[in-house]
Amino acid sequence: FEQIWSGKLARLREAVIASVQRGIKHQDLLDIFQEERGFEAFFSLCITSYSLWFCVDSPYEMCTQLSSMALSIWGLANFLFDNLDLEFDMDSPPPSSGPDSKEDEQLLE
């Protein structure tokens, strides 16, 4: 949904044309692919987990469903790692929430 709010989805056609002309993918196109990857992994895991009990009739089908769930978990973990851990800014100070914070001083007064 972030693509709709930021307008990247509306610029999809221009991003594809620019990517073809330059020979490398446009940043808007990469952002759309990144969001789609996380969306797909999450919902694939949800649907596969829900349908597990209804679709499995043999050990082979159970292995197939569990393999699909494992790949969805791997994809979701990879997406979360890329977006949460790698984008974490180590140089910014942590938010103060201890007894020395200004908010606590204001509450005590």
Side-chain angles (χ1 to χ4, degrees):
F1 295 110
E2 188 265 332
Q3 301 150 354
I4 295 171
W5 305 127
S6 67
K8 291 178 185 171
L9 198 57
R11 296 187 306 260
L12 179 62
R13 181 182 168 129
E14 291 85 14
V16 170
I17 291 170
S19 297
V20 170
Q21 290 173 347
R22 292 185 339 184
I24 59 173
K25 291 180 183 163
H26 193 270
Q27 187 60 43
D28 288 343
L29 197 59
L30 292 173
D31 292 342
I32 289 172
F33 287 158
Q34 179 73 6
E35 289 293 323
E36 187 272 335
R37 187 174 65 133
F39 183 82
E40 179 183 348
F42 175 75
F43 282 104
S44 175
L45 179 61
C46 291
I47 291 170
T48 305
S49 300
Y50 177 76
S51 68
L52 178 73
W53 308 113
F54 304 108
C55 296
V56 174
D57 290 329
S58 69
Y60 176 75
E61 291 172 356
M62 177 65 107
C63 290
T64 303
Q65 289 288 97
L66 291 176
S67 298
S68 177
M69 287 174 62
L71 286 174
S72 296
I73 290 170
W74 181 76
L76 184 60
N78 200 6
F79 172 77
L80 291 174
F81 175 74
D82 288 346
N83 288 307
L84 297 179
D85 284 349
L86 295 182
E87 292 182 6
F88 183 72
D89 187 17
M90 294 294 290
D91 295 331
S92 66
S96 59
S97 61
D100 298 333
S101 70
K102 292 180 183 178
E103 295 173 359
D104 290 339
E105 290 176 10
Q106 292 173 355
L107 291 174
L108 293 175
E109 293 177 355

